[in-house]
Amino acid sequence: MERKEIEIPRRKKSALSEDLENAVDISQEERKVRIHRYEIENKQLTKSWTICCSNSSSDAVKYFTSVGISLLILIFSFVQIIRNTSDSSIYYNFISLIVGIFIKSPSLKDNNEVNN
């Protein structure tokens, strides 16, 4: 049996490393500015999702999804309570859960936090 050598593909260089390798004569300050610019671009890319041919903020998608599911649970619970099912206590618990999620609980703050 013959042994075949397998080539391991090299990792693709990032745009930042290629840019910094090509720019030999830049100052440290310019290098820091470029690194900061790439970090900002990467943060923006990770915060947006492509859904149904549109770019959307990941935070907005998560928020509207949770609101939609919560509304479905509330509607279902109200319908079951109105229909007078035999044991409607679970539906009251669902309503309490949803209300408790969306209404923040009060908290006492330290005097230093209030003044700042």
Side-chain angles (χ1 to χ4, degrees):
M1 220 179 228
E2 291 182 35
R3 283 188 161 179
K4 292 184 180 181
E5 289 187 27
I6 300 172
E7 286 188 34
I8 300 172
R10 293 185 180 196
R11 281 181 43 186
K12 188 177 177 183
K13 290 184 179 179
S14 68
L16 174 63
S17 62
E18 286 181 7
D19 188 28
L20 292 178
E21 282 179 6
N22 294 335
V24 178
D25 298 332
I26 62 173
S27 67
Q28 283 295 103
E29 194 144 328
E30 177 67 23
R31 189 176 295 259
K32 288 179 184 178
V33 168
R34 288 185 185 187
I35 290 172
H36 183 67
R37 186 178 333 130
Y38 282 110
E39 287 173 353
I40 290 173
E41 289 174 6
N42 284 338
K43 284 181 184 176
Q44 290 172 347
L45 288 175
T46 57
K47 286 189 173 188
S48 66
W49 291 347
T50 303
I51 300 172
C52 299
C53 303
S54 68
N55 288 333
S56 302
S57 168
S58 62
D59 295 332
V61 171
K62 291 175 187 176
Y63 175 76
F64 288 121
T65 303
S66 66
V67 167
I69 292 172
S70 298
L71 284 175
L72 286 174
I73 293 171
L74 283 175
I75 291 169
F76 173 74
S77 297
F78 285 130
V79 168
Q80 293 299 326
I81 290 171
I82 291 171
R83 289 178 59 200
N84 289 330
T85 56
S86 62
D87 186 20
S88 61
S89 64
I90 186 73
Y91 305 113
Y92 287 111
N93 289 333
F94 284 153
I95 294 170
S96 298
L97 173 74
I98 300 299
V99 170
I101 288 173
F102 283 102
I103 296 176
K104 302 271 184 187
S105 62
S107 63
L108 298 175
K109 294 190 177 189
D110 194 18
N111 286 337
N112 295 334
E113 292 178 10
V114 174
N115 294 332
N116 291 332

